[in-house]
Amino acid sequence: MRVLVTGASGFIGSAVVPELLAAGHQVVGLARSDDSAAAIAAAGAQVHRGSLDDLDSLRTGAADSDGVIHLAFIHDFADFDGAARTDRRAIDTFGAALAGSDRPLVIASGVLGLAPGRVATEQDRPDLTAGGMAAHRGANAQAALALAEKGVRSSVLRLPPTVHGAGDHGFVATAVDVARQRGASGYVGDGANRWPAVHRLDAARLFRLAVEKAPAGSVLHGIADEGVPVRALAEVIGRHLGLPTVAVPPERAAEHFGWLGPLLAADAPASSTLTRKLLDWNPSAPDLLADLDEGHYFLDRTASPS
Ligand SMILES: NC(=O)c1ccc[n+]([C@@H]2O[C@H](COP(=O)([O-])OP(=O)(O)OC[C@H]3O[C@@H](n4cnc5c(N)ncnc54)[C@H](OP(=O)(O)O)[C@@H]3O)[C@@H](O)[C@H]2O)c1
């Protein structure tokens, strides 16, 4: 297949590209800058210049492909509404380009907020009335799934908040930065709340399987660890940094962790039983705590939690 990948230069996309190439697919990566284009070409993929704001570039890229994996997202938490609107226009544009062709469109989404306090499954649907980031992304995911009725083999691959691996600049990397800045590795309350996780290499394999064979309208869960207690995560971080592990009272979480506080307090376990069965996906890369023990999260980084 000739697969258009948006976000091909990103943390997950840069694992998806070699996964597709190794399976014999042609890959075309969307690039909005010279740096991204160089990274995509160096990975062995073709470059399609364009951006999420340039709908013509998305339309022509999709029309020239046998399928699309959509990973690009503007992670601007100050204007999440705007980022979600841009994402929605991109999904609609891909849908129009692929309509009636039965070609696949796979989009990334998330599990956070789906079923707080219990194990979320592929059968859970987002609460679109709840507002906030999860509802925005959930609405876009529903729009992608609805394209199945227009002759697009669309699927939504929900990821845990913790896609981990070398080069991670997300939540776990931020938790490490906060621990350094505070001189202690913290968790919220008793730390029994759970975070699901997946290694980027396992996630990449699932994106490949999805574009190859996910039935139209599938919801997939890229979950390897169903729920790692956040206290266990904090303990590994503390051990590697030589810092104490401390409990932070919920009312002080925002002050201590900045924007990460509410996320670190969330209990959001999720399963992938149906996905594993549907696509014969078996995660095999190191789990979250083993990946932390590999040490790459503790190379020097600088970032602010606020
Ligand atoms: N990583 C996680 O833990 C995680 C968890 C849940 C969901 N997700 C979702 O999975 C997807 C991939 O995440 P990621 O961690 O790989 O993200 P990332 O490392 O931040 O990469 C984002 C990608 O999007 C591209 N991009 C951003 N704005 C763009 C624009 N205006 N036009 C074109 N391309 C643009 C970036 O291109 P440049 O190289 O040019 O910047 C980059 O390739 C996203 O939808 C994300 O929300 C990720």
Side-chain angles (χ1 to χ4, degrees), residues 6-13 30 32-33 36 50-53 70-75 86 108-110 137 159-164 168-171 207:
T6 75
S9 53
F11 174 58
I12 297 170
L30 181 77
R32 60 172 169 162
S33 70
S36 302
S51 87
L52 293 177
D53 299 304
H70 175 44
L71 299 169
F73 194 83
I74 301 170
H75 292 116
T86 301
S109 192
R137 297 227 46 184
L159 293 163
T162 317
V163 181
H164 57 91
D168 181 10
H169 51 85
F171 299 143
F207 275 106

Side-chain angles (χ1 to χ4, degrees), residues 65-78:
S65 73
D66 299 312
V68 177
I69 297 178
H70 175 44
L71 299 169
F73 194 83
I74 301 170
H75 292 116
D76 177 0
F77 296 105

